[in-house]
Amino acid sequence: MNLKIKEKFPFFKENKDVSYLDSAASSLKLQTVIDSLNDYYVNNGTNVHRGAYKLSYLATEAFEETRELVSKYINSSLSEVIFTKGTTDGLNKLANSLANMINEGDEIITSELEHHSSILPWMNICEIKKAKLVYIPLDEEGRITIDNFNKVLSDKTKVVAINQMSNVLGHLVDVKSIAKLAHEKGAIVIVDAAQSVAHTKIDVKDLDVDFLAFSAHKIFGPNGVGVLYGKKKLLEEIRPFEFGGEMANSVNIDYMDFKDIPYKFEAGTPVIAEVIAFKEVFKFLNEIDTDKMFKHEIKLKDYALEQMKNIKGIKIYNLNSDSPLITFNIANIHPHDIVSILDSKNVYVRAGKHCNDLTHRFLKVNATLRASFSVYNTKEDVDKFISALNEASNFFEGFGD
């Protein structure tokens, strides 16, 4: 990618020597996003969908422009885009709203690849409703296959809650085929797209999933805002997640009438500045060649993998990953010890369980290191990463002499 891309991220102006390889946790922010946040708070600051004056109208117009850009990017209708606080918020609210359709003995299909935000809401509901959580068996690489999905799909299946891309192993899941099979059983399909949205184009009509959630902070946007997509028919049928201002048409002593979708799901004052600033992400993505961006990220990952294989004691858990993410350990050295050395060299990677205990149990390890690459990373970042890894490995090996 053109190095001018890096200039769009002000992080590097103050952190010139940092190699940021933790974008799977949270991406860096575009200058245009930051400028938009400042502009709203300095020059507007009014509420949306409420005021009958010019600035409120302008804020509402800007707010709704983001919804339009999101809907175009994921190929949905405007009314199918709900703004949330993020993936976790959206998936929790959705699960709680759908809970009344779950009965004792019903089955919820999920997998050991799930982030806690995807699995814990349904684990909680299964406990309350005495339903059963069913796991798709993973193959030797830790992938979900259609054959294995078919093994657990049954007439008792009510919901399938899975990710499109694993945040630990980076495997891409064939959610389109899964949705087709699940729908034949009358099941609802919910997709956690927190990781995939940054590395693959999402077309909800083509995937034919019922619900899909992602966060702005994973794709160069502000913190505290996300999107929950839902099929219009289903959104019209289910009750709101929350109740409060601007989601009701009228309220009587013993009756309340809700607004049309998506507004019946957006109670209270939203994170206005963040939603408005989020549109800058889609302007950026529409300006660049996203296919070229994805290829650039994978090229960096492959370059890193080739060199990592030469590090003594290295164990890489996802050599054939579909995403620009490498999860690994070095024998007999705790990930937090490795990351402390890398930190001293201004190389930032993730260490721990990555909010995903089940995948680590599948791998039979307590924690891992994770390096993830994005559009603003360069070959020099990889070289620095490899150099720091070698230094860390050699440093701790010395303690064994």
Side-chain angles (χ1 to χ4, degrees), residues 207-240:
L207 295 176
D208 196 29
V209 297
D210 299 301
F211 298 96
L212 181 143
F214 60 91
S215 300
H217 77 96
K218 299 288 189 181
I219 46 172
F220 323 124
N223 298 333
V225 62
V227 168
L228 176 64
Y229 156 80
K231 285 182 177 176
K232 182 179 179 181
K233 183 176 183 295
L234 292 173
L235 290 177
E236 288 174 339
E237 291 175 356
I238 64 176
R239 288 181 68 80

Short mmCIF file of all heavy atoms in Angstrom, two decimals, residues 207-240:
data_model
loop_
_atom_site.label_atom_id
_atom_site.label_comp_id
_atom_site.label_asym_id
_atom_site.label_seq_id
_atom_site.Cartn_x
_atom_site.Cartn_y
_atom_site.Cartn_z
N LEU A 207 -25.17 -13.30 1.92
CA LEU A 207 -24.98 -14.26 3.01
C LEU A 207 -26.30 -14.81 3.51
O LEU A 207 -26.37 -15.95 4.00
CB LEU A 207 -24.25 -13.57 4.18
CG LEU A 207 -22.81 -13.10 3.92
CD1 LEU A 207 -22.27 -12.36 5.14
CD2 LEU A 207 -21.90 -14.27 3.56
N ASP A 208 -27.35 -13.98 3.44
CA ASP A 208 -28.70 -14.36 3.88
C ASP A 208 -28.75 -14.72 5.37
O ASP A 208 -29.54 -15.58 5.78
CB ASP A 208 -29.25 -15.51 3.04
CG ASP A 208 -30.77 -15.66 3.19
OD1 ASP A 208 -31.44 -14.64 3.46
OD2 ASP A 208 -31.27 -16.80 3.10
N VAL A 209 -27.91 -14.08 6.18
CA VAL A 209 -27.98 -14.28 7.63
C VAL A 209 -29.09 -13.38 8.18
O VAL A 209 -29.48 -12.40 7.55
CB VAL A 209 -26.63 -13.96 8.31
CG1 VAL A 209 -25.56 -14.91 7.82
CG2 VAL A 209 -26.22 -12.51 8.08
N ASP A 210 -29.58 -13.72 9.36
CA ASP A 210 -30.71 -12.98 9.91
C ASP A 210 -30.27 -11.74 10.68
O ASP A 210 -30.93 -10.70 10.65
CB ASP A 210 -31.52 -13.90 10.82
CG ASP A 210 -32.09 -15.08 10.06
OD1 ASP A 210 -32.84 -14.84 9.09
OD2 ASP A 210 -31.75 -16.23 10.38
N PHE A 211 -29.15 -11.87 11.40
CA PHE A 211 -28.59 -10.75 12.16
C PHE A 211 -27.07 -10.78 12.04
O PHE A 211 -26.48 -11.86 11.92
CB PHE A 211 -28.99 -10.83 13.64
CG PHE A 211 -30.47 -10.75 13.89
CD1 PHE A 211 -31.22 -11.91 14.04
CD2 PHE A 211 -31.11 -9.52 13.97
CE1 PHE A 211 -32.59 -11.84 14.27
CE2 PHE A 211 -32.48 -9.44 14.20
CZ PHE A 211 -33.22 -10.61 14.34
N LEU A 212 -26.47 -9.59 12.09
CA LEU A 212 -25.02 -9.50 12.00
C LEU A 212 -24.57 -8.25 12.75
O LEU A 212 -25.18 -7.18 12.61
CB LEU A 212 -24.60 -9.45 10.53
CG LEU A 212 -23.11 -9.36 10.20
CD1 LEU A 212 -22.79 -10.19 8.95
CD2 LEU A 212 -22.67 -7.91 9.99
N ALA A 213 -23.52 -8.39 13.55
CA ALA A 213 -23.05 -7.27 14.38
C ALA A 213 -21.57 -7.00 14.19
O ALA A 213 -20.78 -7.93 13.98
CB ALA A 213 -23.33 -7.57 15.86
N PHE A 214 -21.21 -5.71 14.27
CA PHE A 214 -19.79 -5.34 14.24
C PHE A 214 -19.58 -4.00 14.92
O PHE A 214 -20.55 -3.29 15.22
CB PHE A 214 -19.23 -5.32 12.81
CG PHE A 214 -19.90 -4.37 11.86
CD1 PHE A 214 -19.43 -3.06 11.70
CD2 PHE A 214 -20.98 -4.77 11.08
CE1 PHE A 214 -20.02 -2.18 10.81
CE2 PHE A 214 -21.60 -3.89 10.19
CZ PHE A 214 -21.12 -2.60 10.06
N SER A 215 -18.32 -3.66 15.16
CA SER A 215 -17.95 -2.44 15.89
C SER A 215 -17.16 -1.49 15.01
O SER A 215 -16.35 -1.93 14.18
CB SER A 215 -17.11 -2.78 17.13
OG SER A 215 -17.82 -3.61 18.01
N ALA A 216 -17.33 -0.19 15.25
CA ALA A 216 -16.60 0.82 14.48
C ALA A 216 -15.10 0.79 14.80
O ALA A 216 -14.27 1.02 13.92
CB ALA A 216 -17.17 2.20 14.77
N HIS A 217 -14.76 0.51 16.05
CA HIS A 217 -13.34 0.61 16.44
C HIS A 217 -12.46 -0.47 15.81
O HIS A 217 -11.24 -0.37 15.86
CB HIS A 217 -13.21 0.59 17.97
CG HIS A 217 -13.36 -0.76 18.60
ND1 HIS A 217 -12.29 -1.56 18.91
CD2 HIS A 217 -14.46 -1.43 18.99
CE1 HIS A 217 -12.72 -2.68 19.46
NE2 HIS A 217 -14.04 -2.62 19.52
N LYS A 218 -13.08 -1.47 15.19
CA LYS A 218 -12.30 -2.50 14.50
C LYS A 218 -11.91 -2.06 13.09
O LYS A 218 -11.05 -2.68 12.46
CB LYS A 218 -13.11 -3.79 14.40
CG LYS A 218 -13.51 -4.41 15.72
CD LYS A 218 -12.34 -5.04 16.45
CE LYS A 218 -12.83 -5.83 17.66
NZ LYS A 218 -11.72 -6.45 18.42
N ILE A 219 -12.57 -1.00 12.57
CA ILE A 219 -12.30 -0.58 11.19
C ILE A 219 -12.03 0.93 11.13
O ILE A 219 -12.66 1.65 10.36
CB ILE A 219 -13.43 -0.97 10.23
CG1 ILE A 219 -14.81 -0.64 10.82
CG2 ILE A 219 -13.34 -2.41 9.84
CD1 ILE A 219 -15.95 -0.83 9.82
N PHE A 220 -11.11 1.37 11.98
CA PHE A 220 -10.58 2.74 11.93
C PHE A 220 -11.55 3.79 12.46
O PHE A 220 -11.31 4.98 12.31
CB PHE A 220 -10.14 3.12 10.51
CG PHE A 220 -9.49 2.00 9.74
CD1 PHE A 220 -9.97 1.60 8.50
CD2 PHE A 220 -8.38 1.34 10.26
CE1 PHE A 220 -9.39 0.57 7.80
CE2 PHE A 220 -7.78 0.30 9.56
CZ PHE A 220 -8.28 -0.09 8.33
N GLY A 221 -12.65 3.36 13.05
CA GLY A 221 -13.66 4.29 13.53
C GLY A 221 -13.57 4.55 15.02
O GLY A 221 -12.68 4.04 15.71
N PRO A 222 -14.49 5.35 15.56
CA PRO A 222 -14.46 5.72 16.98
C PRO A 222 -14.89 4.57 17.88
O PRO A 222 -15.56 3.63 17.45
CB PRO A 222 -15.47 6.88 17.05
CG PRO A 222 -16.40 6.63 15.91
CD PRO A 222 -15.58 6.00 14.82
N ASN A 223 -14.50 4.67 19.14
CA ASN A 223 -14.95 3.71 20.14
C ASN A 223 -16.41 3.99 20.50
O ASN A 223 -16.92 5.08 20.30
CB ASN A 223 -14.09 3.80 21.41
CG ASN A 223 -12.63 3.47 21.14
OD1 ASN A 223 -12.32 2.72 20.22
ND2 ASN A 223 -11.75 4.01 21.96
N GLY A 224 -17.06 2.98 21.06
CA GLY A 224 -18.39 3.19 21.63
C GLY A 224 -19.55 3.19 20.67
O GLY A 224 -20.66 3.56 21.05
N VAL A 225 -19.33 2.76 19.44
CA VAL A 225 -20.43 2.69 18.47
C VAL A 225 -20.27 1.44 17.61
O VAL A 225 -19.15 1.03 17.28
CB VAL A 225 -20.52 3.96 17.58
CG1 VAL A 225 -19.27 4.13 16.74
CG2 VAL A 225 -21.76 3.93 16.71
N GLY A 226 -21.39 0.84 17.30
CA GLY A 226 -21.38 -0.35 16.45
C GLY A 226 -22.66 -0.44 15.66
O GLY A 226 -23.53 0.44 15.73
N VAL A 227 -22.78 -1.53 14.92
CA VAL A 227 -23.95 -1.74 14.07
C VAL A 227 -24.52 -3.12 14.34
O VAL A 227 -23.77 -4.10 14.46
CB VAL A 227 -23.57 -1.61 12.58
CG1 VAL A 227 -24.68 -2.13 11.68
CG2 VAL A 227 -23.23 -0.17 12.24
N LEU A 228 -25.83 -3.19 14.44
CA LEU A 228 -26.53 -4.47 14.43
C LEU A 228 -27.44 -4.46 13.20
O LEU A 228 -28.35 -3.63 13.10
CB LEU A 228 -27.37 -4.65 15.69
CG LEU A 228 -28.23 -5.93 15.71
CD1 LEU A 228 -27.34 -7.17 15.71
CD2 LEU A 228 -29.17 -5.94 16.92
N TYR A 229 -27.16 -5.36 12.26
CA TYR A 229 -28.03 -5.54 11.10
C TYR A 229 -29.05 -6.61 11.44
O TYR A 229 -28.74 -7.62 12.09
CB TYR A 229 -27.22 -5.98 9.88
CG TYR A 229 -28.06 -6.74 8.87
CD1 TYR A 229 -28.88 -6.05 7.98
CD2 TYR A 229 -28.08 -8.14 8.85
CE1 TYR A 229 -29.69 -6.74 7.08
CE2 TYR A 229 -28.89 -8.83 7.95
CZ TYR A 229 -29.68 -8.13 7.07
OH TYR A 229 -30.49 -8.81 6.19
N GLY A 230 -30.28 -6.41 11.00
CA GLY A 230 -31.31 -7.43 11.15
C GLY A 230 -32.25 -7.40 9.96
O GLY A 230 -32.55 -6.32 9.42
N LYS A 231 -32.72 -8.55 9.55
CA LYS A 231 -33.69 -8.59 8.45
C LYS A 231 -34.96 -7.84 8.86
O LYS A 231 -35.44 -7.97 9.99
CB LYS A 231 -34.04 -10.03 8.10
CG LYS A 231 -32.96 -10.76 7.32
CD LYS A 231 -33.42 -12.16 6.97
CE LYS A 231 -32.37 -12.88 6.11
NZ LYS A 231 -32.77 -14.29 5.84
N LYS A 232 -35.48 -7.08 7.94
CA LYS A 232 -36.63 -6.22 8.22
C LYS A 232 -37.79 -6.98 8.84
O LYS A 232 -38.38 -6.54 9.85
CB LYS A 232 -37.09 -5.53 6.93
CG LYS A 232 -38.25 -4.58 7.13
CD LYS A 232 -38.64 -3.91 5.81
CE LYS A 232 -39.81 -2.96 6.02
NZ LYS A 232 -40.23 -2.31 4.75
N LYS A 233 -38.14 -8.12 8.29
CA LYS A 233 -39.28 -8.89 8.78
C LYS A 233 -39.09 -9.28 10.25
O LYS A 233 -40.02 -9.20 11.06
CB LYS A 233 -39.47 -10.13 7.92
CG LYS A 233 -40.68 -10.98 8.30
CD LYS A 233 -40.84 -12.14 7.34
CE LYS A 233 -42.09 -12.96 7.67
NZ LYS A 233 -42.00 -13.62 8.97
N LEU A 234 -37.88 -9.70 10.60
CA LEU A 234 -37.61 -10.12 11.97
C LEU A 234 -37.58 -8.94 12.92
O LEU A 234 -38.09 -9.01 14.05
CB LEU A 234 -36.29 -10.88 12.03
CG LEU A 234 -36.29 -12.25 11.34
CD1 LEU A 234 -34.88 -12.84 11.30
CD2 LEU A 234 -37.24 -13.22 12.04
N LEU A 235 -37.00 -7.84 12.48
CA LEU A 235 -36.95 -6.64 13.32
C LEU A 235 -38.35 -6.11 13.61
O LEU A 235 -38.62 -5.58 14.70
CB LEU A 235 -36.11 -5.55 12.66
CG LEU A 235 -34.61 -5.80 12.58
CD1 LEU A 235 -33.92 -4.66 11.83
CD2 LEU A 235 -33.99 -5.97 13.96
N GLU A 236 -39.23 -6.24 12.65
CA GLU A 236 -40.61 -5.78 12.86
C GLU A 236 -41.35 -6.68 13.85
O GLU A 236 -42.26 -6.23 14.54
CB GLU A 236 -41.34 -5.74 11.52
CG GLU A 236 -40.88 -4.60 10.63
CD GLU A 236 -41.50 -4.63 9.25
OE1 GLU A 236 -41.99 -5.71 8.82
OE2 GLU A 236 -41.51 -3.58 8.58
N GLU A 237 -40.93 -7.94 13.93
CA GLU A 237 -41.62 -8.90 14.79
C GLU A 237 -41.17 -8.85 16.24
O GLU A 237 -41.99 -9.03 17.15
CB GLU A 237 -41.42 -10.32 14.25
CG GLU A 237 -42.14 -10.59 12.94
CD GLU A 237 -41.81 -11.97 12.37
OE1 GLU A 237 -40.95 -12.67 12.98
OE2 GLU A 237 -42.39 -12.34 11.33
N ILE A 238 -39.88 -8.62 16.47
CA ILE A 238 -39.37 -8.72 17.84
C ILE A 238 -39.56 -7.40 18.60
O ILE A 238 -39.66 -6.33 18.01
CB ILE A 238 -37.87 -9.13 17.88
CG1 ILE A 238 -36.98 -8.07 17.23
CG2 ILE A 238 -37.68 -10.48 17.22
CD1 ILE A 238 -35.50 -8.39 17.32
N ARG A 239 -39.60 -7.53 19.92
CA ARG A 239 -39.80 -6.35 20.77
C ARG A 239 -38.48 -5.59 20.92
O ARG A 239 -37.40 -6.15 20.71
CB ARG A 239 -40.30 -6.78 22.15
CG ARG A 239 -41.75 -7.26 22.11
CD ARG A 239 -42.23 -7.65 23.49
NE ARG A 239 -42.35 -6.50 24.39
CZ ARG A 239 -43.37 -5.66 24.38
NH1 ARG A 239 -44.36 -5.80 23.51
NH2 ARG A 239 -43.43 -4.66 25.24
N PRO A 240 -38.56 -4.33 21.27
CA PRO A 240 -37.35 -3.53 21.45
C PRO A 240 -36.43 -4.09 22.53
O PRO A 240 -36.86 -4.83 23.42
CB PRO A 240 -37.90 -2.16 21.87
CG PRO A 240 -39.29 -2.13 21.36
CD PRO A 240 -39.79 -3.53 21.45
#
